[in-house]
Amino acid sequence: MIGLEGATLRSARLTYRLLEPQDKPALAHLLADPEVTQPAGFLPAESPADFDRFFTELTLYRTGIALLAGDVLIGYFHVNPYRTDREPYAGQPCVDVGFVVGKAFQGQGLATEAVAFLTGYLKERFDWCFAGHFTENTASRRVLEKCGYTLLGTEKVSIPALGREKECLRWVR
C-alpha cells in the first residue's frame, strides 16, 4: 500500500523502514509509559500477550513504520487507508497517519522531522494525508502545523481503551 516493502528511507537524523519483529521489545519498552500512550488514545499493554496483539495489528498490513535514530527505535508512524465523503477529498486516494515518539526522544524536533519527511513521501503516492489528535495534545498540534497540515475541524471520538469520549482535531495535507 505505501511502497516501503524492503526499502529504507533517510532524512537528516532519522531512518525509516517497516516495523519488523525485532522491533517488538524496543517498542514495548517505549509504549510501557502511559505518558506516551494516553495522548495517542491507548493505554500501555497489560501483558506481553496484549502487546503481541497490538504489534500484530500495527504491522498486519505493512503500514507501521519504524522511526530510528541510528540503530535506536525512537517511535513509530502508522498509515491507514482513509475514505471521506467530504469534498474536495471524496473519491480521491487518501490516508490517515499517526505517530508516537518515546518520552526520551520528545522535544528534540524528531517527530516534526519524521512527520514532514513521511508526509512528503506519502504525498507522492496519495492525494491527501489526514491526521488527528486530541485537543489537549498540543505537542501533536505543533508538529502538524509545522508540517503544513491544515485544520479541518473537530469531532467527538469514542476511545474504548480510555473509557470515554474525547474531542479530536482533524487535519489534512
Side-chain angles (χ1 to χ4, degrees), residues 62-114:
R62 310 295 288 160
T63 59
I65 301 171
L67 307 179
L68 301 153
D71 293 332
V72 177
L73 182 78
I74 67 158
Y76 72 92
F77 185 93
H78 62 88
V79 183
N80 296 305
Y82 188 76
R83 295 191 194 286
T84 181
D85 293 332
R86 185 177 180 164
E87 291 298 337
Y89 320 108
Q92 296 186 37
C94 302
V95 290
D96 186 67
V97 303
F99 56 96
V100 176
V101 173
K103 191 171 183 173
F105 308 101
Q106 294 175 3
Q108 301 171 39
L110 296 169
T112 300
E113 181 176 331

Side-chain angles (χ1 to χ4, degrees), residues 108-148:
Q108 301 171 39
L110 296 169
T112 300
E113 181 176 331
V115 172
F117 182 85
L118 291 170
T119 297
Y121 172 82
L122 291 169
K123 287 288 290 172
E124 294 174 5
R125 289 152 180 77
F126 300 93
D127 290 343
W128 303 99
C129 293
F130 290 83
H133 65 83
F134 301 122
T135 54
E136 67 273 13
N137 189 340
T138 56
S140 288
R141 180 185 186 120
R142 284 191 304 269
V143 167
L144 294 172
E145 287 173 337
K146 289 176 188 175
C147 294

Side-chain angles (χ1 to χ4, degrees), residues 30-87:
L30 289 177
L31 300 181
D33 184 347
E35 289 183 41
V36 172
T37 61
Q38 285 183 348
F42 62 98
L43 297 172
E46 293 183 8
S47 70
D50 286 340
F51 186 79
D52 285 345
R53 280 190 290 279
F54 170 84
F55 191 83
T56 297
E57 289 177 18
L58 183 62
T59 58
L60 183 63
Y61 298 107
R62 310 295 288 160
T63 59
I65 301 171
L67 307 179
L68 301 153
D71 293 332
V72 177
L73 182 78
I74 67 158
Y76 72 92
F77 185 93
H78 62 88
V79 183
N80 296 305
Y82 188 76
R83 295 191 194 286
T84 181
D85 293 332
R86 185 177 180 164
E87 291 298 337

